[in-house]
């Protein structure tokens, strides 16, 4: 008879967040499949547990997945863990769960730490309806396509981001969603230097242009206001004023005009031309 796959969430910073059931599951499993066995070994040492470990990560998952499946089909129980948080959520494991489902192997998910949900709950953004967008691509074109597809999204959006990519991502977000869009940057959750900064995309861009981001981040961004179509009723002058504000926040005129033209009936070049008129007016001291 087939064994079982357990999905075991592990702490995202505070080791005290391992649950009793997660611990018991690790203890009773025949073996543990871990994203990085060195990281999991530290957790096992902390829990004073000894267990056979096999590695299961992004680049060996198709080959290792088969082997894990064979062992479960032979009757063993496997506990799957990632480096931190819930396995299968922007982590290896999604494929293994699908393979188990296809092979009729029972899967049991133990509830526990997840950076996305921890961030959402503390973000002070609306939590009634939300969508999880995971990591954006490192390639500029696909990152922009992903963000463009969310222009009209009214639900709260959750993103994972690495610190070295944060500024580029925030800049792209500000161009797509506008500098005024509220965002909560949730940093180092459950750790000593946990910080929740509730701000706007424009202010976040300005801040991280001057300060290097450190630590792990979840970005929780407000959805588009329900009456966003109000943008369609803006005058060209109002759209250009919006672009002018963006240039004041450090955006180049082309990017500002493009962002300000979104949702309005005007092209970016129309807004750009009007922006130049406003800038000339400013220089002339109007
Ligand atoms: N499966 C994990 C989960 O459910 O929490 C997420 C794994 S994903 C590979 C790692 C990303 O989660 C990080 O880049 C960061 O965006 C986020 N993250 C993990 N731990 C975090 C923490 N303590 N504070 C803020 N973000 C965190």
């Amino acid at each position: 008879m087939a064994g079982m796959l357990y999905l075991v969430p592990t702490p995202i910073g505070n080791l005290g967040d391992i649950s009793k059931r997660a611990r018991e599951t690790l203890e009773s499993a025949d073996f543990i499949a871990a994203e990085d066995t060195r990281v999991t070994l530290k957790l096992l040492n902390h829990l004073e547990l000894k267990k056979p470990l096999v590695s299961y990560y992004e680049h060996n998952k198709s080959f290792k997945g088969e082997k894990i499946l064979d062992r479960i089909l032979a009757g063993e129980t496997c506990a799957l863990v990632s480096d931190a948080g819930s396995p299968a959520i922007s982590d290896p494991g999604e494929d293994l769960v699908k393979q188990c489902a296809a092979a009729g192997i029972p899967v049991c998910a133990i509830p526990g730490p997840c950076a996305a949900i921890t961030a959402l709950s503390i973000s002070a953004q609306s939590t009634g309806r939300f969508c999880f967008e995971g990591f954006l691509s490192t390639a500029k074109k696909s990152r922009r396509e992903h963000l463009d597809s969310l222009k009209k999204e009214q639900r709260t959006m959750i993103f994972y981001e690495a610190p070295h990519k944060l500024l580029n991502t925030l800049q792209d977000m500000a161009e797509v969603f506008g500098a005024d869009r509220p965002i909560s940057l949730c940093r180092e959750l459950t750790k000593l230097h946990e910080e929740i900064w509730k701000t706007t995309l424009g202010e976040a861009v300005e801040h991280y242009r001057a300060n290097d981001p450190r630590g792990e981040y979840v970005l929780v961004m407000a959805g588009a206001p329900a009456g966003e179509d109000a943008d369609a009723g803006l005058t060209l002058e109002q759209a250009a004023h919006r672009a002018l504000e963006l240039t004041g926040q450090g955006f180049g005129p082309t990017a500002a005009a493009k962002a300000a033209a979104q949702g309005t009936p005007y092209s970016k070049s129309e807004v750009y031309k009007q922006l130049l008129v406003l800038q000339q007016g400013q220089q002339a001291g109007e």
Side-chain angles (χ1 to χ4, degrees), residues 12 84 86 89-91 114-115 135 160-161 188-189 216-218:
I12 57 170
S86 296
I89 306 299
S90 289
D91 257 336
C114 174
F135 286 101
Y160 284 161
E161 196 47 286
E188 296 286 85
L189 290 162
E216 297 195 277
Y217 287 82
V218 181

Side-chain angles (χ1 to χ4, degrees), residues 120-174:
L120 175 69
S121 56
I122 202 174
S123 67
Q125 305 288 349
S126 301
T127 61
R129 295 184 68 206
F130 64 88
C131 55
F132 175 63
E133 296 296 321
F135 286 101
L136 293 165
S137 169
T138 42
K140 171 116 182 143
K141 188 166 177 280
S142 358
R143 189 166 69 237
R144 279 301 294 254
E145 280 168 4
H146 187 159
L147 293 174
D148 283 339
S149 74
L150 295 170
K151 257 185 205 162
K152 294 195 170 155
E153 180 56 69
Q154 290 184 6
R155 293 173 294 179
T156 299
M157 288 160 263
I158 308 174
F159 300 86
Y160 284 161
E161 196 47 286
H164 63 282
K165 285 164 46 198
L166 184 72
L167 178 58
N168 281 342
T169 293
L170 289 171
Q171 285 178 163
D172 283 353
M173 284 177 158

Side-chain angles (χ1 to χ4, degrees), residues 193-210:
H193 298 294
E194 173 174 301
E195 182 184 60
I196 313 299
W197 185 30
K198 300 167 196 88
T199 184
T200 59
L201 286 171
E203 281 181 18
V205 167
E206 214 171 308
H207 175 80
Y208 286 111
R209 278 198 180 131

